[in-house]
Amino acid sequence: MNNQSSSSSTNAFISLISAVAIGLGFAVMPWFDVLGLSGTAIEILQLLGQTGASGQAGIDAIPLVGVAGVIGAIAGVWGLSGGGRTASLVAAAGGALGLIYYILLLIGSMSSQSQPMNQMMGSLGIDVTGVGFWVALLGCIGLIAQVLMPSQSS
């Protein structure tokens, strides 16, 4: 195995680990936690589907995180089977797609409409993000970071 394929395998492995982190954060770990009530991102999507509620800053974009995990997993397997640099770039694109959700959520939380609610929750010490939210964020960052790894030269 030459150094180039070793670097591609490392990138693919990082993509797979990041995709697993996204999957666990999205489907298994609590995405939100408010006063002891918690739920996964999938449960949020099911609830939104049942109630028809949407339009909240970033909430409609939650599926992008799940799609990012699927893209990262496919790109990781492709990279291990010889996809090389292209597979690594596809994984990074998946990570960027997942980050869109977090950016939209950040922009929405800074809007003037959500400021009073954010201040009230902050003063009460309420953090609505669960561990799954953060694990999936790290997974999205991992999908992007793996493409930045320097390739090893001979």
Short mmCIF file of all heavy atoms in Angstrom, two decimals, residues 73-138:
data_model
loop_
_atom_site.label_atom_id
_atom_site.label_comp_id
_atom_site.label_asym_id
_atom_site.label_seq_id
_atom_site.Cartn_x
_atom_site.Cartn_y
_atom_site.Cartn_z
N ALA A 73 -21.23 8.31 5.26
CA ALA A 73 -21.05 6.85 5.33
C ALA A 73 -20.80 6.27 3.94
O ALA A 73 -19.89 5.43 3.76
CB ALA A 73 -22.29 6.20 5.97
N ILE A 74 -21.58 6.70 2.96
CA ILE A 74 -21.39 6.20 1.59
C ILE A 74 -20.01 6.60 1.06
O ILE A 74 -19.30 5.78 0.47
CB ILE A 74 -22.51 6.72 0.67
CG1 ILE A 74 -23.85 6.07 1.06
CG2 ILE A 74 -22.19 6.46 -0.80
CD1 ILE A 74 -25.06 6.68 0.38
N ALA A 75 -19.62 7.85 1.29
CA ALA A 75 -18.32 8.32 0.83
C ALA A 75 -17.19 7.59 1.55
O ALA A 75 -16.15 7.29 0.95
CB ALA A 75 -18.19 9.83 1.03
N GLY A 76 -17.37 7.28 2.83
CA GLY A 76 -16.36 6.54 3.57
C GLY A 76 -16.15 5.14 3.04
O GLY A 76 -15.02 4.69 2.84
N VAL A 77 -17.25 4.44 2.77
CA VAL A 77 -17.14 3.09 2.18
C VAL A 77 -16.53 3.17 0.79
O VAL A 77 -15.67 2.36 0.43
CB VAL A 77 -18.54 2.41 2.14
CG1 VAL A 77 -18.49 1.13 1.34
CG2 VAL A 77 -19.03 2.15 3.55
N TRP A 78 -16.95 4.16 0.02
CA TRP A 78 -16.39 4.37 -1.31
C TRP A 78 -14.89 4.65 -1.22
O TRP A 78 -14.09 4.12 -2.00
CB TRP A 78 -17.14 5.50 -1.99
CG TRP A 78 -16.69 5.85 -3.38
CD1 TRP A 78 -16.08 5.03 -4.29
CD2 TRP A 78 -16.82 7.11 -4.03
NE1 TRP A 78 -15.84 5.69 -5.47
CE2 TRP A 78 -16.30 6.98 -5.34
CE3 TRP A 78 -17.36 8.33 -3.65
CZ2 TRP A 78 -16.26 8.03 -6.25
CZ3 TRP A 78 -17.34 9.37 -4.56
CH2 TRP A 78 -16.80 9.23 -5.84
N GLY A 79 -14.49 5.46 -0.26
CA GLY A 79 -13.07 5.77 -0.07
C GLY A 79 -12.26 4.54 0.30
O GLY A 79 -11.13 4.36 -0.18
N LEU A 80 -12.82 3.67 1.12
CA LEU A 80 -12.10 2.44 1.50
C LEU A 80 -11.99 1.48 0.33
O LEU A 80 -11.06 0.66 0.28
CB LEU A 80 -12.80 1.75 2.67
CG LEU A 80 -12.66 2.44 4.02
CD1 LEU A 80 -13.48 1.71 5.08
CD2 LEU A 80 -11.20 2.52 4.44
N SER A 81 -12.90 1.57 -0.63
CA SER A 81 -12.85 0.69 -1.79
C SER A 81 -12.16 1.34 -2.99
O SER A 81 -12.30 0.87 -4.10
CB SER A 81 -14.26 0.21 -2.17
OG SER A 81 -15.05 1.31 -2.57
N GLY A 82 -11.44 2.41 -2.74
CA GLY A 82 -10.62 3.01 -3.80
C GLY A 82 -11.16 4.30 -4.38
O GLY A 82 -10.70 4.73 -5.44
N GLY A 83 -12.08 4.96 -3.72
CA GLY A 83 -12.64 6.21 -4.23
C GLY A 83 -11.69 7.38 -4.20
O GLY A 83 -11.88 8.38 -4.89
N GLY A 84 -10.67 7.28 -3.39
CA GLY A 84 -9.62 8.30 -3.33
C GLY A 84 -10.09 9.69 -2.95
O GLY A 84 -10.97 9.88 -2.10
N ARG A 85 -9.49 10.67 -3.59
CA ARG A 85 -9.74 12.08 -3.27
C ARG A 85 -11.19 12.48 -3.54
O ARG A 85 -11.76 13.29 -2.82
CB ARG A 85 -8.78 12.94 -4.11
CG ARG A 85 -8.88 14.40 -3.83
CD ARG A 85 -8.11 14.77 -2.60
NE ARG A 85 -8.11 16.20 -2.43
CZ ARG A 85 -8.08 16.78 -1.25
NH1 ARG A 85 -8.02 16.05 -0.16
NH2 ARG A 85 -8.08 18.08 -1.15
N THR A 86 -11.79 11.90 -4.58
CA THR A 86 -13.18 12.23 -4.90
C THR A 86 -14.11 11.84 -3.76
O THR A 86 -15.00 12.60 -3.38
CB THR A 86 -13.62 11.55 -6.21
OG1 THR A 86 -12.70 11.91 -7.25
CG2 THR A 86 -15.01 11.96 -6.61
N ALA A 87 -13.91 10.66 -3.21
CA ALA A 87 -14.74 10.21 -2.08
C ALA A 87 -14.57 11.14 -0.89
O ALA A 87 -15.53 11.45 -0.19
CB ALA A 87 -14.38 8.77 -1.69
N SER A 88 -13.34 11.59 -0.67
CA SER A 88 -13.06 12.51 0.43
C SER A 88 -13.78 13.84 0.22
O SER A 88 -14.34 14.41 1.17
CB SER A 88 -11.55 12.72 0.53
OG SER A 88 -11.22 13.53 1.61
N LEU A 89 -13.80 14.33 -1.00
CA LEU A 89 -14.50 15.59 -1.30
C LEU A 89 -16.01 15.44 -1.16
O LEU A 89 -16.69 16.36 -0.68
CB LEU A 89 -14.14 16.06 -2.71
CG LEU A 89 -12.70 16.55 -2.89
CD1 LEU A 89 -12.39 16.78 -4.37
CD2 LEU A 89 -12.45 17.82 -2.09
N VAL A 90 -16.55 14.28 -1.55
CA VAL A 90 -17.98 14.03 -1.39
C VAL A 90 -18.34 14.02 0.10
O VAL A 90 -19.36 14.59 0.51
CB VAL A 90 -18.40 12.71 -2.08
CG1 VAL A 90 -19.80 12.29 -1.69
CG2 VAL A 90 -18.29 12.86 -3.59
N ALA A 91 -17.50 13.39 0.92
CA ALA A 91 -17.75 13.37 2.37
C ALA A 91 -17.73 14.79 2.93
O ALA A 91 -18.59 15.15 3.76
CB ALA A 91 -16.70 12.51 3.08
N ALA A 92 -16.79 15.61 2.48
CA ALA A 92 -16.70 17.00 2.94
C ALA A 92 -17.95 17.78 2.52
O ALA A 92 -18.47 18.59 3.30
CB ALA A 92 -15.45 17.67 2.41
N ALA A 93 -18.45 17.52 1.33
CA ALA A 93 -19.67 18.19 0.87
C ALA A 93 -20.85 17.78 1.76
O ALA A 93 -21.70 18.61 2.10
CB ALA A 93 -19.95 17.84 -0.59
N GLY A 94 -20.89 16.52 2.15
CA GLY A 94 -21.93 16.06 3.07
C GLY A 94 -21.84 16.78 4.41
O GLY A 94 -22.85 17.20 4.97
N GLY A 95 -20.63 16.95 4.92
CA GLY A 95 -20.43 17.67 6.17
C GLY A 95 -20.89 19.12 6.07
O GLY A 95 -21.52 19.66 6.97
N ALA A 96 -20.59 19.75 4.93
CA ALA A 96 -21.02 21.13 4.71
C ALA A 96 -22.55 21.22 4.65
O ALA A 96 -23.16 22.15 5.18
CB ALA A 96 -20.41 21.68 3.42
N LEU A 97 -23.18 20.22 4.04
CA LEU A 97 -24.63 20.17 3.97
C LEU A 97 -25.22 20.11 5.39
O LEU A 97 -26.17 20.81 5.71
CB LEU A 97 -25.08 18.96 3.16
CG LEU A 97 -26.57 18.81 2.92
CD1 LEU A 97 -27.08 19.94 2.03
CD2 LEU A 97 -26.87 17.47 2.29
N GLY A 98 -24.63 19.28 6.25
CA GLY A 98 -25.09 19.19 7.64
C GLY A 98 -24.90 20.48 8.41
O GLY A 98 -25.74 20.85 9.24
N LEU A 99 -23.82 21.19 8.11
CA LEU A 99 -23.57 22.45 8.82
C LEU A 99 -24.58 23.54 8.47
O LEU A 99 -24.75 24.49 9.23
CB LEU A 99 -22.15 22.95 8.55
CG LEU A 99 -21.03 22.21 9.27
CD1 LEU A 99 -19.68 22.81 8.91
CD2 LEU A 99 -21.23 22.20 10.77
N ILE A 100 -25.25 23.39 7.33
CA ILE A 100 -26.27 24.37 6.96
C ILE A 100 -27.33 24.46 8.05
O ILE A 100 -27.78 25.55 8.41
CB ILE A 100 -26.90 24.02 5.59
CG1 ILE A 100 -25.88 24.25 4.48
CG2 ILE A 100 -28.17 24.84 5.35
CD1 ILE A 100 -26.33 23.76 3.12
N TYR A 101 -27.73 23.31 8.60
CA TYR A 101 -28.72 23.31 9.70
C TYR A 101 -28.23 24.15 10.86
O TYR A 101 -28.96 25.00 11.39
CB TYR A 101 -28.99 21.88 10.17
CG TYR A 101 -29.64 21.82 11.53
CD1 TYR A 101 -30.98 22.18 11.70
CD2 TYR A 101 -28.92 21.44 12.66
CE1 TYR A 101 -31.57 22.15 12.95
CE2 TYR A 101 -29.51 21.40 13.91
CZ TYR A 101 -30.83 21.76 14.04
OH TYR A 101 -31.42 21.74 15.28
N TYR A 102 -26.98 23.93 11.29
CA TYR A 102 -26.45 24.65 12.45
C TYR A 102 -26.33 26.15 12.17
O TYR A 102 -26.58 26.97 13.05
CB TYR A 102 -25.09 24.05 12.84
CG TYR A 102 -25.23 22.65 13.38
CD1 TYR A 102 -25.04 21.55 12.57
CD2 TYR A 102 -25.57 22.44 14.71
CE1 TYR A 102 -25.19 20.27 13.07
CE2 TYR A 102 -25.71 21.16 15.22
CZ TYR A 102 -25.52 20.08 14.39
OH TYR A 102 -25.68 18.82 14.89
N ILE A 103 -25.96 26.50 10.94
CA ILE A 103 -25.86 27.92 10.57
C ILE A 103 -27.24 28.57 10.58
O ILE A 103 -27.41 29.67 11.12
CB ILE A 103 -25.17 28.06 9.20
CG1 ILE A 103 -23.70 27.65 9.31
CG2 ILE A 103 -25.30 29.49 8.67
CD1 ILE A 103 -23.00 27.47 7.99
N LEU A 104 -28.24 27.89 10.00
CA LEU A 104 -29.60 28.43 10.01
C LEU A 104 -30.12 28.58 11.43
O LEU A 104 -30.80 29.56 11.76
CB LEU A 104 -30.54 27.54 9.20
CG LEU A 104 -30.32 27.54 7.69
CD1 LEU A 104 -31.23 26.51 7.02
CD2 LEU A 104 -30.55 28.93 7.11
N LEU A 105 -29.81 27.62 12.28
CA LEU A 105 -30.24 27.69 13.67
C LEU A 105 -29.58 28.87 14.38
O LEU A 105 -30.23 29.59 15.14
CB LEU A 105 -29.91 26.37 14.38
CG LEU A 105 -30.64 26.08 15.66
CD1 LEU A 105 -32.14 25.92 15.40
CD2 LEU A 105 -30.10 24.81 16.29
N LEU A 106 -28.30 29.08 14.12
CA LEU A 106 -27.58 30.20 14.72
C LEU A 106 -28.15 31.53 14.25
O LEU A 106 -28.39 32.43 15.05
CB LEU A 106 -26.09 30.12 14.39
CG LEU A 106 -25.22 31.24 14.90
CD1 LEU A 106 -25.20 31.25 16.43
CD2 LEU A 106 -23.81 31.11 14.36
N ILE A 107 -28.39 31.64 12.95
CA ILE A 107 -28.96 32.88 12.41
C ILE A 107 -30.35 33.12 13.01
O ILE A 107 -30.68 34.24 13.40
CB ILE A 107 -29.04 32.82 10.87
CG1 ILE A 107 -27.62 32.87 10.29
CG2 ILE A 107 -29.89 33.96 10.31
CD1 ILE A 107 -27.55 32.57 8.81
N GLY A 108 -31.15 32.07 13.11
CA GLY A 108 -32.49 32.20 13.67
C GLY A 108 -32.46 32.60 15.13
O GLY A 108 -33.31 33.37 15.59
N SER A 109 -31.48 32.09 15.88
CA SER A 109 -31.42 32.42 17.31
C SER A 109 -30.97 33.85 17.53
O SER A 109 -31.19 34.41 18.60
CB SER A 109 -30.49 31.46 18.04
OG SER A 109 -29.15 31.69 17.69
N MET A 110 -30.34 34.46 16.53
CA MET A 110 -29.90 35.84 16.65
C MET A 110 -30.95 36.82 16.16
O MET A 110 -30.77 38.02 16.28
CB MET A 110 -28.59 36.05 15.88
CG MET A 110 -27.43 35.27 16.47
SD MET A 110 -25.81 35.55 15.73
CE MET A 110 -26.12 35.78 14.02
N SER A 111 -32.06 36.31 15.61
CA SER A 111 -33.09 37.21 15.10
C SER A 111 -33.77 37.94 16.26
O SER A 111 -33.82 37.46 17.39
CB SER A 111 -34.13 36.44 14.28
OG SER A 111 -34.99 35.74 15.13
N SER A 112 -34.34 39.08 15.95
CA SER A 112 -34.97 39.89 16.99
C SER A 112 -36.20 39.19 17.58
O SER A 112 -36.55 39.43 18.73
CB SER A 112 -35.35 41.26 16.43
OG SER A 112 -36.26 41.11 15.36
N GLN A 113 -36.86 38.34 16.81
CA GLN A 113 -38.04 37.64 17.31
C GLN A 113 -37.70 36.62 18.38
O GLN A 113 -38.50 36.36 19.26
CB GLN A 113 -38.78 36.95 16.17
CG GLN A 113 -39.38 37.92 15.18
CD GLN A 113 -40.03 37.20 14.02
OE1 GLN A 113 -39.88 35.99 13.86
NE2 GLN A 113 -40.76 37.93 13.21
N SER A 114 -36.52 36.01 18.30
CA SER A 114 -36.18 34.97 19.26
C SER A 114 -35.36 35.50 20.44
O SER A 114 -35.12 34.77 21.40
CB SER A 114 -35.43 33.84 18.58
OG SER A 114 -34.22 34.30 18.02
N GLN A 115 -34.94 36.76 20.42
CA GLN A 115 -34.13 37.31 21.50
C GLN A 115 -34.80 37.24 22.87
O GLN A 115 -34.17 36.80 23.82
CB GLN A 115 -33.71 38.75 21.18
CG GLN A 115 -32.65 38.87 20.10
CD GLN A 115 -31.34 38.25 20.50
OE1 GLN A 115 -31.00 38.15 21.68
NE2 GLN A 115 -30.58 37.79 19.52
N PRO A 116 -36.06 37.65 23.02
CA PRO A 116 -36.67 37.58 24.36
C PRO A 116 -36.72 36.15 24.91
O PRO A 116 -36.45 35.93 26.09
CB PRO A 116 -38.09 38.13 24.13
CG PRO A 116 -37.99 38.96 22.91
CD PRO A 116 -36.94 38.30 22.06
N MET A 117 -37.04 35.18 24.06
CA MET A 117 -37.10 33.79 24.50
C MET A 117 -35.70 33.30 24.89
O MET A 117 -35.54 32.65 25.92
CB MET A 117 -37.66 32.90 23.40
CG MET A 117 -37.74 31.43 23.79
SD MET A 117 -38.81 31.14 25.20
CE MET A 117 -40.33 30.83 24.38
N ASN A 118 -34.69 33.63 24.09
CA ASN A 118 -33.33 33.22 24.40
C ASN A 118 -32.86 33.81 25.73
O ASN A 118 -32.22 33.14 26.53
CB ASN A 118 -32.37 33.64 23.29
CG ASN A 118 -32.57 32.87 22.02
OD1 ASN A 118 -33.20 31.80 22.02
ND2 ASN A 118 -32.06 33.39 20.92
N GLN A 119 -33.19 35.08 25.98
CA GLN A 119 -32.79 35.72 27.23
C GLN A 119 -33.48 35.09 28.43
O GLN A 119 -32.86 34.85 29.46
CB GLN A 119 -33.07 37.22 27.16
CG GLN A 119 -32.17 37.96 26.21
CD GLN A 119 -32.59 39.40 26.02
OE1 GLN A 119 -33.62 39.85 26.51
NE2 GLN A 119 -31.77 40.16 25.30
N MET A 120 -34.76 34.79 28.29
CA MET A 120 -35.50 34.18 29.38
C MET A 120 -34.94 32.79 29.70
O MET A 120 -34.70 32.45 30.85
CB MET A 120 -36.99 34.05 29.04
CG MET A 120 -37.81 33.44 30.17
SD MET A 120 -39.50 33.08 29.68
CE MET A 120 -39.27 31.64 28.69
N MET A 121 -34.71 32.00 28.65
CA MET A 121 -34.19 30.65 28.87
C MET A 121 -32.79 30.70 29.47
O MET A 121 -32.46 29.91 30.34
CB MET A 121 -34.21 29.86 27.56
CG MET A 121 -35.63 29.54 27.12
SD MET A 121 -35.73 28.79 25.51
CE MET A 121 -34.93 27.24 25.79
N GLY A 122 -31.98 31.65 29.00
CA GLY A 122 -30.64 31.79 29.55
C GLY A 122 -30.66 32.19 31.01
O GLY A 122 -29.88 31.70 31.82
N SER A 123 -31.57 33.08 31.38
CA SER A 123 -31.64 33.52 32.77
C SER A 123 -32.12 32.40 33.69
O SER A 123 -31.81 32.37 34.87
CB SER A 123 -32.55 34.74 32.90
OG SER A 123 -33.89 34.40 32.61
N LEU A 124 -32.90 31.46 33.14
CA LEU A 124 -33.35 30.31 33.92
C LEU A 124 -32.35 29.16 33.91
O LEU A 124 -32.56 28.15 34.56
CB LEU A 124 -34.70 29.81 33.38
CG LEU A 124 -35.88 30.76 33.53
CD1 LEU A 124 -37.09 30.19 32.81
CD2 LEU A 124 -36.18 31.02 34.99
N GLY A 125 -31.27 29.32 33.15
CA GLY A 125 -30.26 28.27 33.08
C GLY A 125 -30.72 27.08 32.24
O GLY A 125 -30.27 25.96 32.46
N ILE A 126 -31.60 27.32 31.29
CA ILE A 126 -32.11 26.24 30.45
C ILE A 126 -31.30 26.17 29.15
O ILE A 126 -31.17 27.15 28.44
CB ILE A 126 -33.60 26.46 30.12
CG1 ILE A 126 -34.42 26.47 31.40
CG2 ILE A 126 -34.10 25.38 29.16
CD1 ILE A 126 -35.88 26.87 31.19
N ASP A 127 -30.75 25.00 28.88
CA ASP A 127 -30.05 24.75 27.63
C ASP A 127 -30.84 23.70 26.88
O ASP A 127 -31.02 22.59 27.37
CB ASP A 127 -28.62 24.26 27.90
CG ASP A 127 -27.84 24.04 26.62
OD1 ASP A 127 -28.29 24.50 25.56
OD2 ASP A 127 -26.79 23.39 26.70
N VAL A 128 -31.36 24.04 25.72
CA VAL A 128 -32.24 23.12 25.02
C VAL A 128 -31.51 22.12 24.16
O VAL A 128 -32.11 21.19 23.65
CB VAL A 128 -33.28 23.88 24.16
CG1 VAL A 128 -34.19 24.70 25.05
CG2 VAL A 128 -32.62 24.71 23.10
N THR A 129 -30.22 22.28 23.98
CA THR A 129 -29.49 21.35 23.13
C THR A 129 -29.04 20.14 23.94
O THR A 129 -28.47 20.27 25.00
CB THR A 129 -28.27 22.02 22.49
OG1 THR A 129 -27.45 22.57 23.51
CG2 THR A 129 -28.69 23.11 21.54
N GLY A 130 -29.33 18.97 23.40
CA GLY A 130 -28.90 17.73 24.04
C GLY A 130 -27.55 17.30 23.49
O GLY A 130 -27.00 17.90 22.56
N VAL A 131 -27.03 16.22 24.02
CA VAL A 131 -25.71 15.74 23.63
C VAL A 131 -25.69 15.31 22.16
O VAL A 131 -24.68 15.47 21.48
CB VAL A 131 -25.23 14.61 24.58
CG1 VAL A 131 -26.06 13.35 24.41
CG2 VAL A 131 -23.76 14.31 24.37
N GLY A 132 -26.79 14.79 21.65
CA GLY A 132 -26.84 14.38 20.25
C GLY A 132 -26.62 15.53 19.29
O GLY A 132 -25.98 15.37 18.24
N PHE A 133 -27.14 16.68 19.64
CA PHE A 133 -26.95 17.91 18.85
C PHE A 133 -25.46 18.19 18.66
O PHE A 133 -24.99 18.45 17.56
CB PHE A 133 -27.64 19.06 19.58
CG PHE A 133 -27.48 20.42 18.96
CD1 PHE A 133 -28.44 20.89 18.08
CD2 PHE A 133 -26.42 21.24 19.30
CE1 PHE A 133 -28.32 22.15 17.51
CE2 PHE A 133 -26.29 22.50 18.74
CZ PHE A 133 -27.25 22.96 17.84
N TRP A 134 -24.71 18.09 19.76
CA TRP A 134 -23.28 18.40 19.74
C TRP A 134 -22.47 17.30 19.09
O TRP A 134 -21.50 17.58 18.36
CB TRP A 134 -22.78 18.70 21.15
CG TRP A 134 -23.47 19.90 21.73
CD1 TRP A 134 -24.42 19.92 22.70
CD2 TRP A 134 -23.31 21.26 21.31
NE1 TRP A 134 -24.86 21.20 22.92
CE2 TRP A 134 -24.19 22.05 22.10
CE3 TRP A 134 -22.52 21.89 20.37
CZ2 TRP A 134 -24.29 23.43 21.94
CZ3 TRP A 134 -22.62 23.28 20.22
CH2 TRP A 134 -23.49 24.02 21.01
N VAL A 135 -22.83 16.04 19.32
CA VAL A 135 -22.11 14.92 18.70
C VAL A 135 -22.27 14.98 17.18
O VAL A 135 -21.30 14.79 16.44
CB VAL A 135 -22.60 13.57 19.27
CG1 VAL A 135 -22.08 12.40 18.46
CG2 VAL A 135 -22.17 13.44 20.74
N ALA A 136 -23.48 15.26 16.71
CA ALA A 136 -23.70 15.37 15.27
C ALA A 136 -22.95 16.56 14.69
O ALA A 136 -22.42 16.48 13.57
CB ALA A 136 -25.20 15.48 14.98
N LEU A 137 -22.88 17.66 15.43
CA LEU A 137 -22.11 18.82 14.97
C LEU A 137 -20.64 18.44 14.80
O LEU A 137 -20.02 18.76 13.78
CB LEU A 137 -22.25 19.99 15.95
CG LEU A 137 -21.37 21.22 15.66
CD1 LEU A 137 -21.67 21.81 14.29
CD2 LEU A 137 -21.57 22.27 16.76
N LEU A 138 -20.09 17.75 15.78
CA LEU A 138 -18.69 17.31 15.67
C LEU A 138 -18.50 16.36 14.49
O LEU A 138 -17.47 16.39 13.81
CB LEU A 138 -18.23 16.65 16.97
CG LEU A 138 -18.07 17.60 18.16
CD1 LEU A 138 -17.71 16.82 19.42
CD2 LEU A 138 -17.01 18.65 17.87
#
